[in-house]
């Protein structure tokens, strides 16, 4: 009886281990991480897919919206600014927009998160529908009798009047401003999230060390404000953007969105907080899905915009709570004010810079967590990296070889073998994987290929690496990723991963032959 229980316990432990391993692997690659893979180039003509824009979800007909047919002169004209996105024009003011839209100024400010009445030309305002405006309206306060006379404070007593409140600090905007500035300076934080984390403070310290004129956080903040201006900007989706976004699969119509949650607190200063939109759950990606794709495109417009502006998708959604339906062309997003990643230019020449003996470039992998690039002794870039497979590391000095734009991955499903640890400089793994069984599955007769694209496991670029004084590429390169928000938590294929926007910068900063040190 005891042996049977022990056996069942071991089986249960094994099943749990398998499940945990699957959760720690990029979806669709649970079995593929155990196979050998090779990198193939692609052609620029295959970079993208035919444009198919998503069809906006049906919405309820507005009672005050436009109607088809002749206008009845006996009916007074409705608002000249309809619900939706509105671009501020010359001569506009909140009072004018309020009059033209029929929405009170207070509700316009609340719906757009504005603290002041100041707006600027080109700014995108969200005009709420009648239902949304009603949901934002504060509760009617109870009537209070008017005072008979202005109270006069008695002599010797202090006035009970409170001092004006200190202005609130927008900590998200402050952190985003610093992240955007550092990102523009090639000191990447990874996906921008508007959080003043310890990692951001460490990176800020590295930048100040490299720039002696910015010795304090206040000096860095002033420089960021001078260079960047506003931490956020607006981006409108273009029709051409859908060349890199998968068309949506047929899904049941979503339930009507709940109205914004409104705070009815009677406490002074209570704010109305609209509920963030909940994205429709996505079906899990399978290996068959990856294999069937002719182009590894972004799955949604949200993914496209998040990667274009170097930010976390959840953060992007929090910045745009009023975008409830699937975004289409002309949908306006509030985004971090970075230099955008332009996926349409991945094949632009020259792909690599020429080496300059007077200004030599060197690179280093530091603490297995970041790539540092120097020009002479000056640190000019640092970008977070992660290992696609646990245990991958190097020692000594490597060499950066040629690069491939739009890499594809090929396999015959042969079991991978892990190189043994070696005392000489080069690739090493501390704990070799178990030897495959003698009866290993036979390799496929034809290769299976994962198409190029931003959601390919190795991203948009692959840089070959070699041991020092060698020109033979190792099977592990420096490359992008298809999971920028999870590249530090999930296994995948390849070697050393950067976000796609970071590898796109690194490839154009690292001449072929650049030495790569491990520190």
């Amino acid at each position: 009886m005891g042996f049977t229980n022990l056996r069942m316990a071991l089986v249960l432990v094994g099943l749990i281990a398998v499940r945990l391993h699957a959760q720690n692997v990029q979806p669709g690659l649970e079995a593929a991480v155990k196979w050998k893979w090779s990198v193939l180039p692609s052609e620029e003509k295959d970079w993208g897919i035919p444009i198919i824009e998503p069809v906006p979800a049906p919405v309820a007909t507005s009672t005050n919206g436009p109607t088809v047919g002749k206008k009845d002169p006996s009916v007074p004209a409705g608002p000249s600014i309809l619900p939706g996105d509105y671009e501020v024009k010359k001569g506009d003011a909140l009072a004018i927009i309020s009059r033209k839209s029929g929405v009170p100024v207070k509700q316009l400010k609340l719906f757009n998160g504005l603290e002041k009445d100041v707006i600027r030309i080109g700014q995108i305002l969200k005009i709420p529908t009648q239902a949304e405006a009603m949901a934002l309206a504060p509760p009617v306060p109870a009537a209070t009798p008017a005072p008979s006379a202005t109270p006069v404070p008695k002599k010797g007593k202090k006035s009970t009047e409170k001092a004006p409140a200190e202005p609130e600090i927008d900590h998200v905007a402050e952190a985003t401003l610093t992240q955007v500035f550092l990102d523009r300076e090639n000191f990447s934080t990874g996906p921008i999230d508007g959080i003043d984390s310890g990692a951001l403070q460490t990176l800020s310290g590295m930048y100040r060390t490299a720039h002696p004129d910015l010795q304090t956080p206040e000096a860095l903040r002033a420089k960021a404000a001078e260079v960047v201006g506003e931490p956020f900007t607006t981006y409108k989706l273009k029709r051409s953007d859908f060349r890199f976004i998968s068309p949506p699969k047929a899904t049941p119509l979503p339930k009507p969105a709940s109205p914004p949650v409104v705070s009815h607190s009677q406490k002074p200063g209570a704010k109305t907080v609209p509920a963030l939109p909940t994205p429709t759950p996505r079906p899990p990606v399978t290996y068959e899905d990856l294999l069937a794709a002719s182009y590894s495109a972004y799955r949604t417009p949200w993914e496209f915009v998040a990667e274009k502006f170097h930010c976390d998708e959840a953060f992007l959604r929090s910045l745009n709570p009023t975008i409830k339906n699937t975004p289409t062309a002309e949908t306006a997003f509030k985004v971090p004010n970075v230099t955008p990643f332009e996926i349409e230019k991945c094949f632009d020449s020259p792909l690599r810079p020429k080496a300059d003996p007077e200004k030599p470039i060197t690179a280093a992998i530091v603490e297995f967590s970041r790539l540092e690039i120097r020009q002479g002794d000056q640190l000019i870039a640092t970008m977070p990296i992660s290992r696609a497979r646990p245990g991958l590391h190097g020692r000594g000095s490597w060499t950066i070889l040629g690069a491939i734009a739009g890499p594809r991955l090929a396999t015959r499903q042969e079991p991978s073998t892990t190189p043994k640890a070696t005392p000489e400089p080069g690739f090493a793994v501390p704990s070799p994987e178990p030897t495959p069984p003698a009866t290993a599955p036979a390799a496929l007769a034809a290769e299976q290929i994962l198409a190029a694209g931003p959601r390919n496991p190795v991203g948009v670029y692959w840089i070959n690496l070699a041991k020092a004084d060698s020109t033979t590429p190792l099977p592990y390169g420096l490359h992008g990723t298809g999971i920028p928000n999870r590249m530090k938590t999930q296994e995948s294929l390849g070697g050393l991963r950067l976000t796609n926007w970071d590898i796109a910068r690194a490839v154009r900063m690292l001449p072929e032959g650049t030495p790569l040190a491990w520190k």
Side-chain angles (χ1 to χ4, degrees):
M1 187 70 177
F3 177 76
T4 303
N5 289 341
L6 177 61
R7 185 175 181 182
M8 291 178 64
L10 291 174
V11 170
L12 182 60
V13 169
L15 290 173
I16 293 174
V18 169
R19 184 175 181 85
L20 289 175
H21 173 73
Q23 291 176 344
N24 291 330
V25 176
Q26 181 174 346
L29 302 178
E30 292 81 4
V33 293
K34 302 175 183 177
W35 306 331
K36 291 181 180 178
W37 290 87
S38 58
V39 181
L40 303 175
S42 62
E43 296 185 36
E44 187 175 2
K45 66 180 180 64
D46 300 322
W47 193 243
I49 56 178
I51 296 176
I52 303 177
E53 293 182 40
V55 178
V59 295
T61 304
S62 175
T63 56
N64 62 348
T67 55
V68 179
K70 295 182 179 179
K71 293 183 180 179
D72 185 349
S74 64
V75 179
S80 59
I81 298 179
L82 298 175
D85 293 341
Y86 175 76
E87 183 175 355
V88 177
K89 300 175 178 60
K90 186 176 181 181
D92 274 340
L94 278 180
I96 296 174
I97 296 173
S98 171
R99 186 171 66 252
K100 292 182 177 180
S101 64
V103 180
V105 171
K106 185 177 291 187
Q107 293 179 18
L108 279 176
K109 290 171 64 177
L110 202 58
F111 199 69
N112 288 275
L114 301 176
E115 295 183 358
K116 300 180 180 179
D117 291 344
V118 179
I119 56 177
R120 63 182 185 276
I121 297 174
Q123 183 176 353
I124 302 298
L125 295 180
K126 305 289 184 182
I127 308 300
T129 63
Q130 187 177 12
E132 289 171 331
M134 290 177 65
L136 287 170
V140 178
T144 55
S148 56
T150 304
V152 179
K154 294 182 179 180
K155 189 175 181 181
K157 287 192 176 183
K158 294 183 178 179
S159 172
T160 57
E161 213 175 287
K162 292 183 179 179
E166 291 290 329
E168 292 185 5
I169 298 175
D170 189 338
H171 295 287
V172 172
E174 287 292 307
T176 303
L177 177 67
T178 302
Q179 288 180 310
V180 166
F181 172 71
L182 292 174
D183 185 274
R184 287 192 183 190
E185 295 288 298
N186 294 324
F187 278 61
S188 173
T189 62
I192 291 172
D193 56 10
I195 298 174
D196 187 14
S197 63
L200 176 58
Q201 294 174 17
T202 299
L203 189 66
S204 298
M206 291 176 61
Y207 184 83
R208 296 202 313 271
T209 300
H211 296 80
D213 55 321
L214 302 172
Q215 285 303 299
T216 65
E218 293 75 20
L220 177 62
R221 197 271 174 206
K223 183 69 173 178
E226 176 189 346
V227 172
V228 177
E230 294 295 326
F232 300 106
T233 187
T234 301
Y235 179 74
K236 278 189 178 182
L237 270 176
K238 303 173 185 175
R239 187 173 186 275
S240 58
D241 292 338
F242 288 89
R243 179 184 168 198
F244 306 101
I245 304 170
S246 294
K249 295 180 180 179
T251 54
L253 289 177
K255 295 180 180 179
S258 301
V261 176
V262 180
S263 170
H264 293 288
S265 170
Q266 297 296 324
K267 295 180 180 179
K271 293 184 178 180
T272 304
V273 182
L276 296 183
T278 303
T280 305
R282 303 173 191 169
V285 177
T286 65
Y287 179 69
E288 288 70 26
D289 292 334
L290 299 175
L291 205 59
S294 60
Y295 180 77
S296 297
Y298 297 104
R299 297 182 69 193
T300 68
W302 287 99
E303 282 189 2
F304 172 86
V305 176
E307 186 149 288
K308 187 177 186 69
F309 291 93
H310 312 183
C311 67
D312 179 84
E313 185 180 333
F315 181 55
L316 179 67
R317 287 181 180 272
S318 74
L319 295 176
N320 298 275
T322 58
I323 301 178
K324 295 179 173 62
N325 295 329
T326 301
T328 56
E330 296 301 313
T331 299
F333 288 83
K334 180 181 180 180
V335 295
N337 196 10
V338 297
T339 302
F341 164 55
E342 297 176 301
I343 189 171
E344 64 275 15
K345 296 183 178 180
C346 279
F347 281 81
D348 283 8
S349 297
L351 185 61
R352 309 295 296 282
K354 292 182 179 180
D356 184 352
E358 295 184 0
K359 298 179 180 178
I361 298 292
T362 57
I365 302 293
V366 181
E367 299 175 350
F368 307 114
S369 64
R370 68 180 186 272
L371 170 69
E372 290 186 357
I373 303 175
R374 294 179 182 272
Q375 187 174 59
D377 295 329
Q378 179 70 25
L379 180 64
I380 60 173
T382 178
M383 305 163 183
I385 65 167
S386 72
R387 293 171 281 192
R389 301 298 311 279
L392 291 181
H393 67 277
R395 58 173 73 98
S397 180
W398 288 7
T399 303
I400 290 175
L401 302 180
I404 298 173
R408 298 178 296 155
L409 293 176
T411 185
R412 295 181 186 271
Q413 296 192 8
E414 298 172 275
S416 63
T417 55
T418 305
K420 296 180 180 180
T422 172
E424 64 184 18
F427 174 80
V429 175
S431 301
E433 294 180 359
T435 305
T439 55
L444 301 178
E447 287 184 326
Q448 293 182 329
I449 295 178
L450 300 184
R455 287 302 172 253
N456 183 287
V458 297
V460 297
Y461 291 107
W462 174 282
I463 301 176
N464 281 312
L465 303 173
K467 294 181 181 180
D469 303 322
S470 172
T471 56
T472 303
L474 293 166
Y476 306 95
L478 195 65
H479 56 82
T481 180
I483 50 172
N485 296 328
R486 305 189 304 278
M487 74 176 197
K488 291 193 175 182
T489 59
Q490 291 186 338
E491 294 179 37
S492 187
L493 308 178
L496 302 166
R497 299 176 288 188
L498 295 87
T499 62
N500 282 335
W501 60 85
D502 282 340
I503 192 67
R505 292 186 280 193
V507 75
R508 287 183 162 83
M509 297 177 73
L510 297 170
E512 192 167 342
T514 298
L516 176 69
W518 287 85
K519 297 181 178 180

